[in-house]
Amino acid sequence: MTGPAASGENATLSTGDHSNPKHKRSLWAWCLFDWANSAYPTVVVTFIVAAYVTTGVATDPESGTAAWGNAMSLSGLSVAVLAPILGAIADQGGPRKPWLGVLSAITIATAFGLWFVEPNPSFLLLALLLAGAGSASFELGTVFYNAMLPEVAPPEKLGRISGWAWGIGYAGGLAALVVCLVVFIQPETPPFGLDASKAEPVRMSGPLIGLWFLLFGLPLFFLVPDRPASQIGVVQAVRRGFVSLKHSLKRLPRRRRISRFLIAHMLYTDGLNTLFAFGGIYAAGTFGMSFQEILVFAILLNVTSGLGALGFAWVDDWIGPKPTILIALGALTLLSGAVLLVSDKLMFYVLGCAIGIFIGPAQAASRSLMARLAKPDERTEMFGLYALSGKATAFMGPFLVGWLTLAFDSQRAGMASIVAFFVVGFLILAPLKSES
């Protein structure tokens, strides 16, 4: 799944021939990968599988929420440790697509494995292991995927391309959810002889997402140019990678703009990741929403998120990525706080969809801001640290939600911790001078 190495004409394309038709194909193949992989966190981590495991597999929603939170915390911690290391090693070794291919294959395999999770507490550990491993490999893969952005997008369109990819990703999540709803879960008589009493229509979402990721992810490996392989061996690449990472971390305190951004990104991304991980769980536990209702809500949320990502893509290139992020964080703070106060299901739908408008811009503009802050010769290295910042405290959000939910016997109390991450991230990012 690695595709051809960059050489000859492909190498030229990766250095900035943005008018070449082959480059345009590689750009769209790169964006299509967001369509492919975004279905995994949408269906598995946030909505269907998360809700199924916590309410259909675990003994009760509270203990299920806590167990899911612990699993996601360990997954996030592994990403925080491994992302900068793998990024630094890959930077020394050359091509990124072999790394992305292996990590994507792991995610796909765990998705297929979710079929074997039956609605019985004895299968809870299997569910947590598969979801945790799949989430970690998915997040690690984004290190190499994001690092390709400055090579497929011209500098003046970084915000637009990043935003378009996020928008396409939300559309992919939406399409996958529609398939799950219309084909498998909604029909009174499940297709293909699936047994509803054993939750097979819901469990089928795992293999569906695995196949989805595989089919739509392939064009990137054949159409997007990659860096040529270096002449150094694996052992030497590992050694150089660790040395490079060590030097980067030592220099980081003197790189005040990047350091401030990474700290802010660490905190507000923790809030976003926790929102993703527990959105479906909160809807099911607090509002008593069925799987079908959760899917309808998820579809509406993906529509507004995709529109927000696409709409703010031009705003990013117009006013800059930092103001775009601040606008998104301010709106997320107010709307998330409002969601915690309502008890009416219709208001939850309305406010939740409004939140979606600002999720995509916060993510897409963060990626373009990192691409703008990093020097051309250090982008892969910086995206490794960017991934680290996105997961360095990833255990904290799920842990707080799980712990506060148990301590107060209330999912509302647990979800309230998310607002604090948005507020603190906003305050740290606001003074940043993002001009190049």
Side-chain angles (χ1 to χ4, degrees):
M1 287 181 63
T2 60
S7 61
E9 187 174 23
N10 279 347
T12 302
L13 294 177
S14 67
T15 61
D17 187 8
H18 300 289
S19 62
N20 192 301
K22 288 188 176 181
H23 177 83
K24 292 181 179 179
R25 287 197 293 270
S26 72
L27 189 154
W28 283 110
W30 183 84
C31 290
L32 183 63
F33 193 84
D34 233 319
W35 167 287
N37 72 355
S38 292
Y40 182 88
T42 301
V43 173
V44 175
V45 179
T46 306
F47 291 106
I48 299 178
V49 174
Y52 167 63
V53 170
T54 55
T55 62
V57 179
T59 304
D60 57 79
E62 287 71 30
S63 64
T65 300
W68 185 267
N70 291 334
M72 292 300 105
S73 295
L74 291 174
S75 176
L77 183 61
S78 67
V79 172
V81 173
L82 294 174
I85 296 174
L86 295 182
I89 294 173
D91 201 22
Q92 299 297 319
R96 302 186 183 105
K97 288 196 289 188
W99 293 87
L100 181 58
V102 170
L103 292 165
S104 298
I106 294 173
T107 305
I108 291 168
T110 61
F112 276 101
L114 290 169
W115 164 257
F116 300 100
V117 177
E118 299 181 15
N120 187 299
S122 63
F123 287 88
L124 179 60
L125 180 59
L126 174 62
L128 297 177
L129 289 174
L130 289 171
S135 178
S137 57
F138 166 82
E139 294 288 352
L140 290 171
T142 62
V143 174
F144 306 96
Y145 173 67
N146 287 340
M148 296 178 180
L149 171 61
E151 296 174 6
V152 299
E156 71 277 6
K157 294 183 179 179
L158 280 176
R160 266 169 282 185
I161 300 304
S162 183
W164 291 345
W166 278 110
I168 291 172
Y170 281 119
L174 169 62
L177 283 168
V178 169
V179 173
C180 289
L181 174 63
V182 174
V183 178
F184 295 105
I185 296 176
Q186 192 176 48
E188 293 184 8
T189 303
F192 312 119
L194 296 174
D195 189 348
S197 66
K198 296 180 180 179
E200 288 182 351
V202 177
R203 290 159 53 192
M204 192 62 192
S205 60
L208 172 67
I209 295 309
L211 184 61
W212 185 283
F213 196 163
L214 176 63
L215 292 179
F216 293 112
L218 282 175
L220 177 144
F221 296 96
F222 293 102
L223 298 177
V224 178
D226 203 356
R227 297 180 304 175
S230 67
Q231 302 302 313
I232 65 175
V234 175
V235 175
Q236 191 175 6
V238 172
R239 185 182 299 112
R240 288 187 181 182
F242 275 102
V243 171
S244 175
L245 177 60
K246 180 181 178 181
H247 290 165
S248 295
L249 292 174
K250 283 185 175 180
R251 294 194 306 267
L252 201 54
R254 298 193 297 271
R255 306 284 299 278
R256 294 188 178 182
R257 290 195 303 159
I258 289 181
S259 296
R260 177 176 287 273
F261 169 60
L262 291 177
I263 293 172
H265 177 258
M266 175 180 67
L267 293 169
Y268 68 73
T269 299
D270 200 0
L272 289 172
N273 289 338
T274 307
L275 184 63
F276 299 150
F278 289 90
I281 295 171
Y282 181 68
T286 299
F287 291 88
M289 294 173 66
S290 65
F291 283 117
Q292 185 168 332
E293 287 177 316
I294 290 173
L295 281 176
V296 171
F297 171 68
I299 289 170
L300 294 174
L301 183 64
N302 274 266
V303 169
T304 58
S305 297
L307 292 175
L310 291 171
F312 274 86
W314 280 272
V315 175
D316 185 332
D317 286 330
W318 175 37
I319 66 174
K322 192 197 85 170
T324 303
I325 298 171
L326 292 178
I327 292 171
L329 291 179
L332 287 170
T333 299
L334 296 175
L335 293 169
S336 297
V339 165
L340 298 175
L341 300 176
V342 302
S343 56
D344 180 70
K345 190 181 293 186
L346 177 60
M347 285 303 300
F348 175 78
Y349 271 106
V350 172
L351 291 171
C353 291
I355 286 174
I357 294 175
F358 299 97
I359 290 176
Q363 297 170 312
S366 296
R367 181 164 61 186
S368 67
L369 178 56
M370 184 75 262
R372 286 180 168 95
L373 288 175
K375 298 178 181 177
D377 60 348
E378 63 176 12
R379 279 173 177 155
T380 304
E381 180 181 297
M382 288 297 107
F383 269 108
L385 294 176
Y386 175 81
L388 168 62
S389 74
K391 287 296 179 181
T393 58
F395 64 92
M396 189 181 300
F399 172 78
L400 285 176
V401 170
W403 182 80
L404 290 173
T405 297
L406 286 178
F408 292 91
D409 194 27
S410 168
Q411 286 185 323
R412 292 181 189 273
M415 295 294 284
S417 62
I418 294 176
V419 177
F421 287 104
F422 294 149
V423 172
V424 177
F426 181 100
L427 294 175
I428 293 175
L429 180 64
L432 174 70
K433 297 181 179 179
S434 57
E435 294 83 2
S436 57

